[in-house]
Amino acid sequence: MTKKTMEIKNQRDVIAARQAIREMANNLGLGLADQTRLATAISELTRNVIQYAGEGTCIISDESDQTTLRIRAVIEDHGPGIPDVDQALADGFSTGNGLGAGLPGARRLVQDFNLESKPGHTKVTIEMIRRKW
Amino acid sequence: MKIPILQLKNILLASIQVDLTDEDALEFQSDVLRKAAETDAAGIIIDITALDVVDSFMARILNETATMAQLLGAEVVISGMQPAVALTLVEMGRELTHVKTALNLDQGLEKLNNCIAAKNGIVTPREGNRRDND
Ligand SMILES: Nc1ncnc2c1ncn2[C@@H]1O[C@H](COP(=O)(O)OP(=O)(O)OP(=O)(O)O)[C@@H](O)[C@H]1O
Ligand SMILES: [Mg+2]
């Protein structure tokens, strides 16, 4: 199992994080479409960290077993948190001046998406899951 | 990271070759719009062949740039979007709605020229050389 922890403090880190997950996906044999989905989802989630919490971490890991290929990313910060998670996940909701497309968009790109938030802690976990054959 | 913007007659051409930070993308947007105004460009081609991620922020920048350029009288064509990038944008629900797209630079240039000609009420030749309009 490979695992990589990255600090997310600025825009460069956003780019580094999406390159790292692309590389992991590529090493595990995922195709271009899946690599791009993962890189794009990470881009959205780590940008939110910078934008709303200032800084945080992104941990990517290979959680595959014999039958299933599974890449997980955990994006975490200790910023203000999201008061209403359902609202934040709805298309078009933004407290920044964004389109509110980041969270719902990222969610559509992966098989598993979990968002937990309270004041002082926000954690998003995503997984791309593919059957091996 | 400055993206060079080249001028070919009445068209501006920019090729994004590296991953842009949000600041880079915003700077590029204002550069391109300023140059479009300064040169009174009729069209702009932005080639994104080298971009392997276009997320919601970048998609918004591209859309906005096209809309603002139109207000300045310039048409915009985005060329070279990778298939996986296009697919991801559609899945996210973020197609480039205000922008014309083309497979590659060559087709982009043709599309842009046709579109400029159509706007000026010139009938486009089916193939071969296109006329300048003024
Ligand atoms: N890590 C976070 N901490 C605090 N609030 C967050 C965080 N991530 C998202 N949010 C909240 O959820 C809202 C929706 O986020 P989302 O990424 O979907 O859209 P956006 O960032 O506003 O715009 P876009 O991503 O389209 O540019 C944000 O406006 C913000 O209020
Ligand atoms: Mg966002």
Side-chain angles (χ1 to χ4, degrees):
Chain A
M1 191 194 101
T2 50
K3 182 168 174 168
K4 186 167 182 184
T5 303
M6 292 165 282
E7 302 281 334
I8 306 298
K9 288 184 154 64
N10 58 47
Q11 286 286 319
R12 297 266 143 221
D13 297 332
V14 170
I15 292 176
R18 69 193 194 202
Q19 285 170 347
I21 202 157
R22 176 183 288 279
E23 189 183 317
M24 179 177 282
N26 185 33
N27 289 342
L28 291 172
L30 286 178
L32 262 182
D34 281 341
Q35 292 174 29
T36 305
R37 289 182 179 105
L38 277 171
T40 308
I42 291 293
S43 192
E44 299 294 349
L45 299 173
T46 54
R47 166 177 297 105
N48 282 352
V49 166
I50 303 284
Q51 199 172 346
Y52 302 109
E55 59 174 51
T57 54
C58 171
I59 302 175
I60 60 176
S61 58
D62 168 18
E63 307 283 343
S64 305
D65 59 25
Q66 253 103 336
T67 57
T68 311
L69 192 159
R70 187 187 298 265
I71 296 183
R72 179 182 298 157
V74 180
I75 296 93
E76 226 170 341
D77 68 67
H78 293 94
I82 304 175
D84 185 338
V85 167
D86 290 335
Q87 190 181 42
L89 282 169
D91 272 310
F93 176 81
S94 176
T95 61
N97 58 348
L99 294 178
L103 288 174
R107 186 189 203 174
R108 290 188 193 106
L109 296 176
V110 291
Q111 280 62 58
D112 204 64
F113 184 100
N114 184 51
L115 168 55
E116 298 163 57
S117 188
K118 58 179 189 204
H121 188 209
T122 298
K123 181 176 173 181
V124 187
T125 307
I126 60 171
E127 284 186 359
M128 177 162 282
I129 305 167
R130 297 284 183 245
R131 184 148 293 151
K132 288 183 177 172
W133 62 82
Chain B
M1 175 45 52
K2 198 94 177 148
I3 297 165
I5 301 165
L6 311 179
Q7 185 180 357
L8 295 162
K9 296 187 187 169
N10 57 349
I11 287 176
L12 298 181
L13 171 63
S15 170
I16 302 177
Q17 301 280 357
V18 289
D19 270 338
L20 300 184
T21 63
D22 293 0
E23 287 85 37
D24 292 339
L26 288 166
E27 188 185 335
F28 170 67
Q29 178 180 56
S30 64
D31 282 355
V32 119
L33 292 171
R34 183 172 350 98
K35 190 136 188 194
E38 274 169 19
T39 60
D40 198 17
I44 303 170
I45 298 190
I46 303 173
D47 189 74
I48 59 166
T49 309
L51 283 193
D52 58 13
V53 173
V54 174
D55 58 15
S56 68
F57 183 84
M58 193 63 196
R60 192 174 89 208
I61 293 289
L62 293 172
N63 268 327
E64 277 180 11
T65 306
T67 308
M68 295 193 235
Q70 273 163 2
L71 292 174
L72 297 171
E75 296 297 320
V76 174
V77 172
I78 307 281
S79 67
M81 183 185 288
Q82 294 180 16
V85 169
L87 177 68
T88 299
L89 279 176
V90 170
E91 286 175 352
M92 283 205 298
R94 284 256 60 81
E95 289 102 296
L96 297 182
T97 39
H98 302 291
V99 197
K100 295 178 181 62
T101 53
L103 273 182
N104 54 42
L105 200 50
D106 204 40
Q107 289 182 20
L109 198 58
E110 183 157 339
K111 195 164 193 168
L112 194 54
N113 276 312
N114 287 339
C115 158
I116 292 167
K119 203 169 81 175
N120 294 334
I122 299 164
V123 181
T124 41
R126 213 160 276 121
E127 53 190 31
N129 290 333
R130 36 225 153 211
R131 340 172 7 186
D132 278 339
N133 43 74
D134 47 17

